[in-house]
Amino acid sequence: MVSATPFKTTKSEEIFATAQTLMPGGVSSPVRAFKSVGGQPIVFDRVEGAYIWDVDGNKYIDYVGTWGPAICGHAHPEVIAALQAALSKGTSFGAPSVQENILAEMVIDAVPSIEMVRFVNSGTEACMSVLRLMRAFTGREKIIKFEGCYHGHADMFLVKAGSGVATLGLPDSPGVPKTTTSSTLTAPYNDLEAVKALFVENPDSIAGVILEPVVGNAGFIVPDAGFLEGLRELTQEYGALLVFDEVMTGFRIAYGGAQEKFGITPDLTTLGKVIGGGLPVGAYGGRKDIMSLVAPAGPMYQAGTLSGNPLAMTAGIKTLELLQKPGTYEYLTQVTQKLSQGLLQAARDCGHAVCGGSLSAMFGLFFTAGPVRNYEDAKKADLAKFSRFHRGMLEQGIYLAPSQFEAGFTSLAHTDEDIEQTLATARMVLATL
Ligand code: HOZ
């Protein structure tokens, strides 16, 4: 057991009880409410490296990593020092800063598809802006998204969406006008034929295809061989744009994201999470001829008071600098593979049907024999068993994402010892399920 003290969450419970009277569901974002895994969410006090501590003093090995940004480990001393220096100059300028240029250059150098970039404040903002840009550039309205993929909570994307929508088993959200989503076409992930059929039915009206190149919001699902290539060819054939939502995978699957890993260059890319180093940031970028449409260079309007915020830029710059060190992605791959393979083996040894895998610093496990190639497959997993697994691990000091439909994240701070500790705990918990 990681925690030195017995598992008690009295203070968490008190604080969360008050939170529920103040905020819908007691939270600022739905998945963290633990609705699908049962029990109450843990209220945190501090984070450092691979660990988090709750308000009752329990310590956990963390595989959520604040949902992705903490790839160097929480509160990395160099990120904190850079932020302290930046903080002494103020918190927001609402005007150009040199930090924006530095981070923009780093992003452009790293991500194959990005020749020009616009910083925003979240992944949701990046995706809703890129959608407007897809439509502005092509003069077409329809888009194709994939079932179980999540591109933030903008109206047009809340169709068969993953993440919290999948976690809570929600139908399409009330408040989203049908007219807004009528241009959103959907296909099962990894189903090239379904995408082809949509293009054949709508040859001149599809602005583009947007997807998570590696899915993290329906659980962890990798693209079949040839799927991304096929999408690249189809979009080119029909004069549509290909957009990779790399909010989760950017600078995580590889320094240049999933597009570098798979060698497929989309027209546009959205980013978030890692490029903010733990502060709120999103970005969208791509071909210069397309990005030149964005105001004030062009007519497509999009703006933001805190966009390009100097603190967020500083945390992003330092985080990317840390990721540039030799051996980074080799280490992330090795540590995550050990974790993922160990978890699968432990589950099989205990007689559970299980499947999953990892790619660089992202992993997932489904309680079903699989294979899981899309959202329909993911839904066949034993969700009740996942809940019991989640709870058992939590009580023994391992913090996993509180949903079967979220990927797990590792960091440079996770040590071999942390992985051993996690696997020993998993073996114990899996034997009781
Ligand atoms: N959209 C994130 C998960 N994919 C955030 C979840 C949360 O913070 O509740």
Side-chain angles (χ1 to χ4, degrees), residues 169-411:
L170 296 175
D172 298 340
S173 173
V176 176
K178 282 200 172 47
T179 45
T180 313
T181 52
S182 58
S183 301
T184 307
L185 312 175
T186 59
Y189 190 78
N190 273 328
D191 189 342
L192 214 45
E193 286 308 311
V195 179
K196 211 176 277 177
L198 290 173
F199 271 114
V200 170
E201 276 167 41
N202 306 273
D204 304 315
S205 53
I206 296 174
V209 176
I210 184 166
L211 77 156
E212 296 176 74
V214 174
V215 181
N217 284 291
F220 170 78
I221 305 174
V222 293
D224 286 350
F227 180 58
L228 300 177
E229 288 86 340
L231 293 178
R232 183 63 286 186
E233 283 162 20
L234 271 176
T235 45
Q236 271 162 353
E237 186 184 334
Y238 285 91
L241 299 174
L242 181 63
V243 184
F244 279 6
D245 176 349
E246 297 231 40
V247 169
M248 268 192 188
T249 54
F251 294 91
R252 177 167 285 278
I253 290 296
Y255 190 69
Q259 55 197 271
E260 177 196 307
K261 179 91 184 169
F262 291 98
I264 304 295
T265 305
D267 301 294
L268 293 164
T269 298
T270 57
L271 295 167
K273 299 195 190 278
V274 168
I275 60 156
L279 273 82
V281 177
Y284 62 102
R287 280 168 33 197
K288 212 173 246 180
D289 59 327
I290 308 177
M291 290 303 291
S292 299
L293 282 187
V294 178
M300 192 216 83
Y301 198 70
Q302 183 271 310
T305 298
L306 289 168
S307 296
N309 175 276
L311 293 181
M313 297 294 104
T314 298
I317 293 163
K318 186 48 79 180
T319 299
L320 298 199
E321 276 173 13
L322 290 167
L323 290 174
Q324 284 172 356
K325 291 191 179 157
T328 292
Y329 290 90
E330 289 79 0
Y331 181 77
L332 290 169
T333 299
Q334 173 213 312
V335 94
T336 317
Q337 259 175 13
K338 178 171 176 164
L339 172 70
S340 166
Q341 287 167 7
L343 286 174
L344 291 169
Q345 192 56 51
R348 286 186 189 120
D349 290 348
C350 293
H352 301 294
V354 77
C355 70
S358 68
L359 208 48
S360 183
M362 203 168 162
F363 70 96
L365 167 152
F366 293 100
F367 283 108
T368 175
V372 172
R373 296 176 53 248
N374 56 39
Y375 182 43
E376 277 310 306
D377 294 339
K379 284 197 286 189
K380 290 179 194 145
D382 186 337
L383 301 184
K385 190 177 278 185
F386 177 81
S387 300
R388 294 196 297 278
F389 178 58
H390 182 271
R391 188 77 213 170
M393 295 294 274
L394 186 78
E395 291 185 1
Q396 296 299 323
I398 311 292
Y399 191 68
L400 299 171
S403 167
Q404 174 75 90
F405 301 114
E406 296 285 351
F409 298 121
T410 48
S411 77

Side-chain angles (χ1 to χ4, degrees), residues 27-33 64 66-67 124 150 152 162-164 216-217 248 273 402 405-407 409:
V27 289
S28 299
S29 186
V31 184
R32 63 184 76 168
V64 180
T66 186
W67 301 97
T124 287
Y150 181 73
S163 191
N217 284 291
M248 268 192 188
K273 299 195 190 278
F405 301 114
E406 296 285 351
F409 298 121

